[in-house]
Structures are given as structure tokens and as C-alpha cells.
Amino acid sequence: MVATFAIIHRPAYYTSQPSAYYTTDKETAGVWLRGNERLGIVQGSAVRPRDFDLLCEGCDTAGNKLVKTPPFKRRVLGVDITLSSPKAVSVLYAAGDDTLRAEIASAERAAVEATLRIIEREIPLARRGHNGVQREHAKFTAAVFTHSEARPETHANGGVLASVQRHHHVCIPSIVERPDGTLGAVDSAGGIRSGKKLLGSVYRLQLATELEQRGFAIVRSDDGWRWSIAGVPDKVAKFFSARRSAIEAELAKAGLTSGEAPAVAAAITRKSRRTKDTVNTADRIAGWQEAIKDLGFDPGAIVEAAREAGREAVARDSAIVNALIHSRMAALPSALTESEATFERRHLLEVACNALVGTGVSVDQAVKEADALLESRAIVELGTTRDGVVLSTPEMVATERRLVETAVNLAQACLAAPAPDLVRRLCRENSLSQEQTKVALAATSGARLVNVLAPAGTGKSKLLGVIARSFEAAGYSPALGTSPTDASSVVVLPGASVVGASVAWRAALDLGHAINVPSSAIDALLKRLDARVAAGKSAFEGRTVLLIDESGLQSSPQLARILDHVSRGNSRSLLVLVGDERQVRPIGPGHAIRLVREAIGAATLSQIYRQRETWTREAPQAFARGDAAAALKAFNEHGLIEFHNGLKPTVDALADAWQQARLSRPSEQITVLTKTNAEARAVAAVLRDRLKREGFIKTREVLLPAVDASGNPHTLPVAAGDTLVALRRVDRLGVVNGTPLVVERVKVACLSKKVTITARRGDEIIQFTPEDIADGKGRVRLANGLVSTIFRAQGTTVDQSFVLLNEKFDRHDSYVSASRARGDTRFFCSRSLDSSIRASSGDFHSEINDAQRLDHLAQRLSRERVKTTTLDLIDVAKFAKAHTKRERNRQKELGHEL
């Protein structure tokens, strides 16, 4: 946990806690770390409950109402940013004496102060103007309530104990003073909410530095933001993570871990909290130290080991430290644009603070280092929006400008094209509609770049088949010596040819099968094209038509590279992009399909054919345009949304429905969809148990260390009868990312314990060892194929879908999951979202009904995940027209010179 954000609903939660919970170890009452004389608050004074209540209500300490609440609106009382120390710090606090605890408390207070200074300098807390469009900095009051323990939980030894957990509730009542002296409410929906990760990174950097100054050594983890203290045993830290372990135990019933499924974990956290007044009044320090001894460790020895590790830490030479700081900061611009084309200042400061943990620098110095990146132009400002300054890198700006300029050039250039009469005849022969025929004519017009927007279910595969046949009839022969199913050869582009590509290997091969052309993953294609250019050859040999499917998943850098190759030198190639702008967003930076559409327009399909009934065609489109209320109403009216009490009953209900459909309609294609890889494993584990009971999967199995597509490690059970999915390309085995494998046999050698897996890949039998398909750490790149993530399912068509729904879905997740099936799509949702509904309303005791759950989901599922580009602050269409004018003038000048 870095930092959490919460709305203050009950001020008494902080000021009137049961003494048994908060007075242990003389836990201090709240302290005002920021005051305001005008409101009657003195900085450094103890928090009086009445004063805290009044400020939260928008009054001063005399009871005068200073901030009014608009009619028909519910007042937000304030915000709580909870800053948690790493578990190693809490363990030292428990193991040490009063002197060490005072040292730690002092270091933490300095870190809290650094956090407050960042809020003052970086986060506007007030709004004004119509609809609060203008955000501005404001003077605020802040009270900190410091606690040393979590709620009591059952630990690994069976005892019930409140784990040591140092954390600080930094509470800002909803009354702030603007620069002009006027008073207003805190902007709880603005920067303070979105900046919680920044505040967590600030707190932890300053705390790490303060502890280093007090003689402790910091150990930074590989993930870039977690850290620990050298000498503190992991076993002890894990023991005192009983709250997290309790959540893990609940999640384990469905095969999840909280680190992998934070949305579900958060829901269980809210649901399963013990009340604070159930804790006994025994001396917590003595209890903690006794628990440490029971684990086989001596508290004093742990403290001494940590001190010794600090003494042994090599005294850092300033030149070495400066070089380390320089190298870490130099890596930030590319890291910041790894998945997004633009970012905000809060993101820059967050990654800077995380990067500099362990270097001994303060937060103030980290801010200076971040500002130096701006001054050196390694990071540039693009403009300002309501949310602040928009930042990117010069490289990303150049990439997206080049993408648009190249797209315009290609769209205006022409090559020899199929005869329109031929295209129309092929459209008639393949029963294409008038709309599809119009798009086919546009795609075969000879323009070197054509952009086609094709929503889910509009028959794009059929359309692409006609486009491919049209070009082949015009002399673009199929690539010789290649096969849509041959993963090792489809990147070769000899002679005149029509070829396909998609972001993922599975989608690329499906495209190849559907329209009978060689097809490859785009990254593999780019690797081959780059190699040809590096060898002095043309990227494409002869005339080539490149058909890219699922272009909505392309990042800006990826499409820019494709366009570079298509337009390079004397290339006689042309490109047809086909995709859906509204489906799941690209993983990489930018939103290429949107830039192309804004620059050159698009031929568009709109008629849906996949779904059998009218309402099933309309409901997914409602999700796509953000009208989740209408979509959910339609599915609910047809009995396709179910709510169940808890995660496990929800997964069990989904499994029951899946099993019934599978047994009653064995010939139909069925898919089960989840948002995350961890949820997919959870559901797959339940489905797999059903198949084991039926005898489809054998009981003898091996457990393999594995890693999913998101990099999360887990254990994968494999037995005869399992359906697996390859997550990497292995040419020797003829598999790519997405290839399904049905396990025929699992053999374990008696002496060596070597595992050999025999599996069916389509009609062929292959044999491999886990090492054949493992990563560098020996973890297999395989997943259970019974359940798919929504991202991986994009582009597939099935007969029925079963979806594990939760409030973390956005409109893109909802649209894709609702549009896969020709027939029914059924949604299964846990009532654990009730706690979120209660938190939003402030009524923590009301009963929640299904209508309220649907209303809550409608709000959540309507959210759009905006994929930004560096050109968002300008009119791309005008930019494209200006580029066209410049190109024409340049051509005229060249003509005059000749």
C-alpha cells in the first residue's frame, strides 16, 4: 500500500475511536499540522473533536457557517489521505525500545511534512467559476492521526492480534481559503484524489531518506517503488501482514491473490473489517515482541541486525551517488511514455520520487531533478488543460507528428487499383451489403492508405476477404511459399502479394485463415522489415497490399513504423487499416487509429450482423457510446444479469451456467471472460474442478511455476485433458502467443523428475518440456485456456459468453465483452460492490437492492478510458490540411527547380 484516498463521512471515526484501539502505546490524539487563525485553528495544537467536526461542516471553531452547500447537493466533509509505512518500518517499531520508536516517529513526521508541502505547492485544492472549471491552490487545514496498528486478525499461529502497522491519516476538512481570501470547499474530485500515488511516493522517498540519515540501509525492490530495511526478516514482516493474509484467504477460495486482483481485494477488505472496539487492552508492544519471539527471532537481535546493516552500508562517494541519480533520472522520459503518449506533472514527480529511493535525496531535491528534465527539454510542455500542464517527450511528439504527416501523404497517393466493376461483382458473389460494398470500393480505390472503422459484428472478415480477392485479381498474387498457419514463414513478403497482420499472433493467424492470406503479428513483421532495410533492401519486394486487422490496438510508435516502411523510397505498397476505435485501448502509447481518422477520415461500417436479435445488436453499441444504463437495462430485462453474495458464490454460479450450457449444447462455442488475468485464473480453477469431477481432466497433475501476460507469477496445474494457451512464440513447436494446446499426456521421469508434455495443436501432436516455453526465470509462458481476459478475446466470435462483471469495468471492457456472442451474453456480479454504494451515499446501514446495483454499475461502466496523444491540444484535421498545403508548395518548388 502506498497511499489511499477516502472521503470523510464521519469525523468521529478519527476523533472518538474506542480507547482500546487507539490508546495502546500512548497513541497520540490528532495534531493540527496546518492551521488557520481565521478559522480558529493553531498549527501544532491537539485536535479537539468539536473543532474537527465544525471544520468538516464548513464552519469555524466558533460555529459560524462559512461555506454553504449548494441546494440538492450533498456536502463532502473532507478528505483523508492515509500514508502507510513499509512493513519493515513497523516491525522495527514493534521490536525496538522507546528511543527507537521515537526515532521512527520523527522520521515519519518529517515524511508527512514533506507530503503536506507537496500538496501546498503542487495540488490545487479549490475550484471556482461555472461548474468549477477553474482550479487554484488554497490554504488548508490538516490534521494527522497516527496509528501503530491494523485491525485485529487471526495470524499464522492461530492467535488474534492487531498487527503492527504504522500509518497516518492526513485529514483535510472541506474548508479552504483561496488566494483572494474567499472560502470554499475542498475539490475532492480533483488533484487530491488523482494525486494519491504521488503523495504516497513522496512520503516513502522522504521516509527512506530520513531512515538512512538515522543509520539504516534501504533495500529497493525490483518493481521500482517498494522498499524495505536491510536486516529485517521477511518472515516477521509477512507474519504481521495478517490483514492482507486474511484477505488472501478469502480470495484463495476463488483462486486469486490480492496483489493481482486489487478491485476484488478492496471489496473484501471493506466487507470483512472487524470493528475496532473488539480489541483487548493488553500491552500491544509486549504482544508484538512476544509474537516475534514465537517466530524464533529475538526483537533486540532484529534491531541490532538492522543497525549493523546500516553500519556496513558502504559510505557513498558523492560522485557515485550523483551518477546513480543521473542514470535513474535519464531513464524516466522513456519510462513515462512506455504506455501513454502524454502525462502530467504529478506522474513526473511520482516516478522521480520512486526512482530516487535509496539515493539519500530529499523530496525537494527530487522535485529539482524532475524540473531539470523540463529545463533540458528531455521532457516538454505541450499545453495546459483544466487538469494542468500536459507533458511528453520530444521523441513522442515527433513520432505522432510524423504518423499524421505520413498518413496524409499516403492517403493522397495512388497506385494501380482493381477495376470497380470487378470489386462490385465480387461483393455481389459474396452477398455483401450496399454499405459493405461502398467500403470495399473505398479500400480498393488505389489510395496507398485507407482507414476502415468496423465495429464488432459488422462482417469485417467477409469484407476483408473480398478486398484481398479484388487485389489478387488485379495482379497482387498471394505470397508464394507461405501459409496462413505457418508461423515461421508468414513474415516473408516476396513479389507482388496480399498479406495480413494484427497486433497479436492469434488474431493475425485467425485473419490469415479467414481470408486465406499469409498473416503475422505486427512486431514480427516490423522486425523483418527493419532487417531488410538494414541490409540495404526494399522493405517490401514488389507490389504489396498490407491488410492490418484490429488496428484499434496499435500504439502510435508501432503504426508510425509501419507507415514509414510503406512510404519508404520507391515502395509500391499500400495499406488498409481495419479496426474499431471504441474497443479496448492499445497497451502502448498513443491512439493511432484516432489520429489517422482525424487526419484522413475513414470509411465506416455500421450495420451489425453477428447478433441474432435486434436488442442484442443494440445493447453492445449502447455500452460503446457510454450509455451503460440502457445496455444494462436491456440485459437485465432479458434475465442475463445475476447478483450473488460474495465472490465465490458468484464464480460458482457462473460455473454452473457454463457447465449447463456446455452439456446441453456441446456443439456451440462458449467463452468465459474476465477483466484481469488473475480473475481468469480464479474462474478457470473452478471450471477445471468441474471437468476433473466429470473425468475430462485427469486427477494426476504437475504444478509448474508460471507467469501471466501481465508479468504476475503464479502456479499452473497441468494434467491430461487440460486446455492451455501459449503466451509466447516458439517456432520449433509451431506455436505463437494465443495458440491453444490440448494436453494429451503429462510424463514425469522417475529419477530426473523431468516433465514432458504431449499436446494436440490443431490436428498435430507436439511434445515439449516446460523449459521449452519458459522465460529467463524458468517460469512457463502458458495459461489455462478455459477462461480469457477481455483484451485477449477482442476479435473473437462465439455462440455464448459468460462474463465475470465488476465495477472496475469501463465502457470499452463492457462493449467488447457484450459483443462476442451471436447468442446470449450473461453477466455475473458479486454484491460486494454494495460497500462502494454505501460509501458513495454516506448511508452505511441501508439495504441495497438490485436497482441500486444496476445504477451504480451504469455509472462505472459508462466511464471512458481516454488514450491521449501529443496532438490532442490541436486540431488534427487542420494540422493535416496545413501539411498538405506545405507538401503541395514543396512539390511546386521542386518542379520549378527542374
Side-chain angles (χ1 to χ4, degrees), residues 268-295:
I268 293 174
T269 300
R270 293 189 293 265
K271 178 182 176 183
S272 60
R273 281 176 174 161
R274 294 172 183 259
T275 56
K276 296 179 179 180
D277 57 359
T278 61
V279 186
N280 62 54
T281 57
D283 182 0
R284 293 294 191 273
I285 297 294
W288 291 331
Q289 294 189 352
E290 190 63 33
I292 292 172
K293 292 176 183 177
D294 290 343
L295 291 173

Side-chain angles (χ1 to χ4, degrees), residues 343-671:
F343 50 92
E344 299 172 22
R345 180 172 173 81
R346 61 185 170 92
H347 300 121
L348 171 59
L349 297 182
E350 175 195 335
V351 298
C353 287
N354 287 335
L356 296 179
V357 164
T359 62
V361 307
S362 66
V363 169
D364 290 340
Q365 186 175 345
V367 172
K368 291 179 181 177
E369 293 291 341
D371 287 336
L373 291 176
L374 286 162
E375 292 169 5
S376 68
R377 303 284 293 173
I379 291 174
V380 293
E381 294 185 7
L382 304 179
T384 303
T385 67
R386 173 180 175 177
D387 296 323
V389 176
V390 179
L391 305 173
S392 189
T393 63
E395 295 80 8
M396 187 58 64
V397 173
T399 293
E400 294 197 320
R401 288 176 71 95
R402 190 178 78 251
L403 186 158
V404 169
E405 291 170 350
T406 309
V408 170
N409 292 343
L410 288 171
Q412 293 174 350
C414 288
L415 292 175
D421 288 343
L422 167 67
V423 178
R424 291 190 183 94
R425 177 174 63 79
L426 289 172
C427 288
R428 287 194 301 270
E429 291 174 355
N430 288 274
S431 303
L432 264 61
S433 67
Q434 185 176 355
E435 178 187 62
Q436 290 171 322
T437 299
K438 183 179 179 181
V439 172
L441 287 168
T444 57
S445 64
R448 296 189 61 196
L449 175 61
V450 177
N451 185 32
V452 177
L453 295 183
T458 52
K460 64 177 180 177
S461 295
K462 201 173 182 181
L463 171 68
L464 281 168
V466 169
I467 294 171
R469 302 294 85 77
S470 298
F471 276 110
E472 288 169 2
Y476 292 81
S477 301
L480 301 177
T482 61
S483 164
T485 61
D486 186 353
S488 64
S489 62
V490 292
V491 295
V492 182
L493 307 173
S497 59
V498 179
V499 295
S502 190
V503 171
W505 265 112
R506 185 70 256 163
L509 295 185
D510 288 345
L511 171 65
H513 279 291
I515 67 174
N516 196 30
V517 300
S519 185
S520 71
I522 294 174
D523 283 341
L525 171 64
L526 283 169
K527 183 178 180 180
R528 179 68 179 183
L529 297 177
D530 289 343
R532 288 180 60 86
V533 172
K537 301 177 182 178
S538 298
F540 297 95
E541 186 175 341
R543 296 182 301 166
T544 302
V545 177
L546 177 58
L547 306 176
I548 291 185
D549 191 17
E550 301 294 349
S551 60
L553 293 176
Q554 284 194 273
S555 67
S556 292
Q558 188 185 63
L559 182 56
R561 289 175 62 196
I562 287 286
L563 294 178
D564 287 345
H565 283 303
V566 172
S567 63
R568 189 181 302 277
N570 296 320
S571 171
R572 291 180 294 157
S573 56
L574 57 83
L575 173 63
V576 178
L577 299 172
V578 182
D580 187 351
E581 196 174 316
R582 301 177 302 176
Q583 292 196 37
V584 177
R585 297 313 200 209
I587 294 176
H591 198 189
I593 192 175
R594 177 163 63 84
L595 282 178
V596 172
R597 190 256 304 160
E598 291 174 353
I600 68 170
T604 304
L605 297 174
S606 59
Q607 181 61 46
I608 309 298
Y609 300 97
R610 178 180 294 163
Q611 283 76 32
R612 299 174 183 132
E613 299 183 56
T614 300
W615 80 266
T616 58
R617 293 194 289 268
E618 294 173 348
Q621 299 306 311
F623 274 132
R625 62 177 178 266
D627 189 2
L632 289 169
K633 180 181 178 183
F635 280 101
N636 189 54
E637 286 177 346
H638 287 82
L640 297 175
I641 299 179
E642 298 181 18
F643 293 100
H644 297 274
N645 293 325
L647 176 62
K648 189 176 187 304
T650 303
V651 174
D652 285 340
L654 185 155
D656 290 340
W658 168 83
Q659 190 171 33
Q660 182 180 4
R662 177 179 149 273
L663 295 175
S664 62
R665 300 178 181 178
S667 63
E668 290 195 353
Q669 292 178 296
I670 300 173
T671 190

